[in-house]
Amino acid sequence: MALIERLFPVMRSNFDFFQHLSSQMDKEFKEMEEDMSRARSLLLQLLPRDPVDDIMKHEIKPSVPIVEEKGETKLKLEFNVKQFKPEELEVKLLGNNILQVTANHEEHTEGGVRKISYLRQYSLPAGIDAEHIKPQLHKDGVLTVEAPAPALKPNERMIPIEYK
């Protein structure tokens, strides 16, 4: 045994303890980095690679309302977007048949940033005249999206309510 180890046995054991603790922490951090890397890879797999392909798989409403108004058959969708400013709204046609309505609002407060997002997507049936999609924002905050659908029959009908 070396002279220093005999003179300072506590220091030697403390050094071994801290060296062991340091190597254990390095090992734990390496495992944590590997776990985070695996989690990151899994999360990245959830991001859309092809927006139209992803839209086809998720969040598409099964059918759109086809109505008849004033003798005209048309698509008619309504969205409550009153919490957004007109410039925060977007209506897009993705591919030939995916209608997407988005809105993003960001406001800076004392405590940080407050963000509100809105996303609605619909798969449009064949027979919708996508070239003539017409969005209108009303004063009450309802966005109406209409498009002619001359080849389609209404898929909505009023059912009278019986009052007793």
Side-chain angles (χ1 to χ4, degrees), residues 38-163:
R38 277 192 299 276
R40 188 178 307 113
S41 294
L42 290 171
L43 285 173
L44 288 175
Q45 289 175 5
L46 297 175
L47 292 176
R49 290 182 182 83
D50 175 7
V52 174
D53 183 49
D54 185 61
I55 289 167
M56 293 303 293
K57 294 177 186 171
H58 304 291
E59 293 190 35
I60 294 180
K61 306 297 181 193
S63 65
V64 295
I66 304 298
V67 298
E68 191 170 321
E69 289 182 355
K70 300 177 188 170
E72 182 184 342
T73 305
K74 61 183 171 180
L75 157 87
K76 185 173 183 179
L77 298 165
E78 292 181 341
F79 305 92
N80 180 355
V81 290
K82 63 182 168 191
Q83 68 269 33
F84 298 99
K85 297 175 187 170
E87 61 271 14
E88 297 171 334
L89 299 169
E90 282 187 350
V91 177
K92 295 180 187 176
L93 186 62
L94 304 174
N96 292 326
N97 69 333
I98 305 298
L99 179 73
Q100 182 182 66
V101 176
T102 58
N104 291 296
H105 176 75
E106 186 174 304
E107 99 186 23
H108 297 274
T109 63
E110 223 175 85
V113 178
R114 179 178 172 231
K115 294 182 180 185
I116 303 171
S117 293
Y118 181 91
L119 171 67
R120 296 293 181 272
Q121 300 170 136
Y122 287 86
S123 178
L124 301 178
I128 297 290
D129 184 357
E131 293 298 316
H132 292 96
I133 292 175
K134 183 181 171 187
Q136 277 189 310
L137 183 60
H138 303 276
K139 290 180 182 178
D140 62 357
V142 173
L143 175 69
T144 302
V145 178
E146 295 182 353
L152 299 175
K153 293 182 180 174
N155 61 5
E156 285 187 356
R157 66 182 175 91
M158 294 300 292
I159 301 172
I161 300 171
E162 185 179 320
Y163 298 99

